[in-house]
Amino acid sequence: MNSNALITHIRQYTSLNNEEAVLLEGSVEIRELKKKEFLLKEGEICTANYFIIKGLLRSWFTTEKDAEQICQFAIENWWMTDYQSLELRQPSGFNIQAVESTTVACLPRDRQDALFAAVPQLERYFRIILEKALNAAQLRVKYIFSLSGQERYDHFAGGFPEFIQRIPQYMLASYLGFTPEFLSKIRAKRIS
Amino acid sequence: MNSNALITHIRQYTSLNNEEAVLLEGSVEIRELKKKEFLLKEGEICTANYFIIKGLLRSWFTTEKDAEQICQFAIENWWMTDYQSLELRQPSGFNIQAVESTTVACLPRDRQDALFAAVPQLERYFRIILEKALNAAQLRVKYIFSLSGQERYDHFAGGFPEFIQRIPQYMLASYLGFTPEFLSKIRAKRIS
DNA sequence: CGATTCTTTGAAAACAGTCAATCTGTGTGG
DNA sequence: CCACACAGATTGACTGTTTTCAAAGAATCG
């Protein structure tokens, strides 16, 4: 698997000639991850931005009560990283882990500046990508605050039925902000 | 009041010579808002990105139960807009409103592309700003999920003591995701 | 098949919301 | 300058949603 998916994605948002595409390909590294493999662990400094060519990542952290709290899922054509750790070179408070067998393109932090200098349109590409990501994060906050647990499940299950198949229920429960037991009870009600 | 604060802010993240600064000044419009004045109302299409020179904005929406749910506060040197409405020219699901008397620099959507073409470093500036904003949004989700109402109040009150002075408690309660009554009870406990 | 991981179920408890009444402060108009 | 109105804050009783804990039941993987 190669970086064609990434180049195609970038060309949806900005121009990129073949020379530039070659520069990009020289700056990213394709990595194959097995299910449950980590790209980042809490306490480590995040070293790259990850673009998902195929598969599914999750980011999560450990709460004070030793529970896993899932922050985000990322599927094909999404970027995932911890920007705070990446840009400030600080230890991260998050884990990034493959939910299923996954292929990513890694853009290492130490190659990013040179690449952006050589291909300035990438600044534009990431600006647009980040606008979308920020929007998604804000919509998430909106749903968390305006919907009950039951409603969040209905909304999510209705909006992403195919996605539900790819993740275990305990991860969905964590993402939606409640316990696996409660999700189980919601489903029991729904079926009857 | 003029756009010096904005130019100073941009120069913290990227270069900007005097010609470029003039182009920028020609593209933004300074606006004075009275307390409670709106920059955007639910259902309208958002037409600009707003940089706060002085004052305090909040973004909020109306829940199904007709309650105001606050999404964000923004103070001096922050940008606020609804990117989804701005970029896709869709009706917004949010309100943006002055909490106190506020001065903003407005960058209208219909001038943005020409400005970015003339001053490409602004793509970089906004990329960096958006990374920070995305980070803040993700930390917010982290706190919502890992802390109880009581803990969220303690964390916020400890982290931004001066900010607490600027907003009424019912707004803080909404931002933290609980009712004004509950906040009142938290405070009663803390004092004793 | 055995072992682990995931899901379901039920009872008790905790946390936060709702509603209604009261209290406080602030600003405005007469 | 006072009185009143109104927005915001507090309090208490009651309700409801979600969690916790413990145990048992399915499903999946090597």
Side-chain angles (χ1 to χ4, degrees):
Chain A
M1 199 156 303
N2 61 33
S3 49
N4 287 342
L6 173 55
I7 290 166
T8 302
H9 193 247
I10 293 172
R11 284 183 170 149
Q12 285 176 30
Y13 298 101
T14 193
S15 65
L16 196 74
N17 65 33
N18 289 340
E19 277 176 52
E20 290 164 340
V22 169
L23 280 174
L24 177 74
E25 285 186 311
S27 298
V28 301
E29 179 195 345
I30 306 298
R31 242 177 99 177
E32 305 277 348
L33 301 169
K34 280 179 244 162
K35 185 170 172 173
K36 298 197 179 173
E37 204 172 335
F38 285 83
L39 282 168
L40 176 69
K41 288 188 184 179
E42 287 178 64
E44 294 178 355
I45 294 175
C46 187
T47 59
N49 200 347
Y50 302 103
F51 177 83
I52 300 168
I53 295 169
K54 170 133 193 52
L56 174 53
L57 300 181
R58 63 170 179 147
S59 73
W60 57 278
F61 65 93
T62 310
T63 67
E64 286 170 16
K65 289 165 195 154
D66 268 348
E68 290 178 9
Q69 176 59 55
I70 294 182
C71 299
Q72 280 188 269
F73 292 109
I75 57 170
E76 286 82 5
N77 290 331
W78 278 88
W79 289 86
M80 178 171 263
T81 192
D82 173 356
Y83 283 103
Q84 183 168 340
S85 176
L86 190 73
E87 294 298 327
L88 303 178
R89 272 91 164 172
Q90 286 174 356
S92 176
F94 300 95
N95 305 278
I96 297 179
Q97 188 185 19
V99 174
E100 56 190 45
S101 152
T102 298
T103 309
V104 293
C106 312
L107 174 56
R109 181 67 189 82
D110 58 20
R111 293 194 192 165
Q112 182 184 288
D113 291 342
L115 178 64
F116 283 12
V119 189
Q121 306 96 284
L122 289 179
E123 299 275 12
R124 177 177 169 80
Y125 168 70
F126 278 102
R127 173 183 63 83
I128 297 169
I129 292 302
L130 283 161
E131 283 179 2
K132 289 182 186 297
L134 179 57
N135 212 108
Q138 288 181 169
L139 279 180
R140 176 125 190 260
V141 173
K142 180 164 182 170
Y143 291 129
I144 291 169
F145 281 140
S146 63
L147 303 178
S148 68
Q150 169 101 246
E151 289 168 328
R152 288 203 298 281
Y153 175 75
D154 291 344
H155 180 264
F156 195 89
F160 308 94
E162 73 300 336
F163 187 72
I164 299 274
Q165 309 300 322
R166 293 170 73 176
I167 53 171
Q169 291 191 13
Y170 78 92
M171 285 192 193
L172 178 59
S174 173
Y175 178 75
L176 293 176
F178 44 71
T179 59
E181 292 93 331
F182 184 61
L183 176 52
S184 194
K185 283 160 193 169
I186 288 174
R187 287 165 51 84
K189 270 196 219 160
R190 254 171 106 40
I191 292 158
S192 63
Chain B
M1 197 152 314
N2 61 30
S3 47
N4 287 342
L6 174 54
I7 290 166
T8 302
H9 192 247
I10 293 172
R11 285 184 171 149
Q12 285 174 30
Y13 297 102
T14 192
S15 65
L16 196 75
N17 65 35
N18 290 339
E19 277 176 52
E20 291 164 339
V22 169
L23 280 173
L24 177 74
E25 285 186 311
S27 298
V28 301
E29 179 194 343
I30 307 298
R31 239 178 101 178
E32 306 278 347
L33 301 169
K34 280 180 244 160
K35 185 172 172 173
K36 298 196 179 174
E37 204 172 334
F38 285 83
L39 282 168
L40 176 68
K41 287 187 184 180
E42 289 179 64
E44 295 177 354
I45 294 175
C46 187
T47 59
N49 199 347
Y50 303 102
F51 176 83
I52 299 168
I53 295 170
K54 169 132 194 53
L56 174 54
L57 300 181
R58 63 170 181 149
S59 73
W60 57 277
F61 65 93
T62 309
T63 66
E64 286 170 16
K65 290 166 197 155
D66 267 347
E68 291 180 7
Q69 175 59 54
I70 294 182
C71 299
Q72 279 188 269
F73 291 108
I75 56 170
E76 286 82 4
N77 291 330
W78 278 88
W79 289 86
M80 178 171 264
T81 192
D82 173 357
Y83 283 104
Q84 183 169 338
S85 176
L86 190 74
E87 293 298 327
L88 303 177
R89 273 91 163 170
Q90 286 174 356
S92 177
F94 300 94
N95 306 278
I96 298 179
Q97 189 185 19
V99 175
E100 57 190 45
S101 152
T102 298
T103 309
V104 294
C106 312
L107 173 56
R109 181 67 189 83
D110 59 19
R111 293 193 193 167
Q112 182 185 289
D113 291 342
L115 179 64
F116 283 11
V119 190
Q121 306 96 284
L122 289 178
E123 299 275 12
R124 177 176 170 79
Y125 168 70
F126 278 102
R127 172 181 65 80
I128 296 169
I129 292 302
L130 283 161
E131 283 178 3
K132 288 181 188 296
L134 179 57
N135 212 107
Q138 289 180 167
L139 279 180
R140 175 125 192 257
V141 173
K142 180 165 182 171
Y143 292 128
I144 291 168
F145 281 141
S146 63
L147 303 179
S148 69
Q150 167 102 246
E151 290 167 328
R152 288 204 297 283
Y153 175 75
D154 291 344
H155 180 266
F156 196 88
F160 309 94
E162 75 299 336
F163 186 72
I164 300 275
Q165 310 300 321
R166 294 170 73 176
I167 52 171
Q169 291 191 13
Y170 78 92
M171 287 192 193
L172 178 58
S174 174
Y175 177 76
L176 293 176
F178 44 71
T179 59
E181 292 94 331
F182 184 62
L183 176 53
S184 198
K185 284 161 193 170
I186 288 174
R187 287 164 51 84
K189 268 196 220 162
R190 260 174 94 57
I191 292 158
S192 62

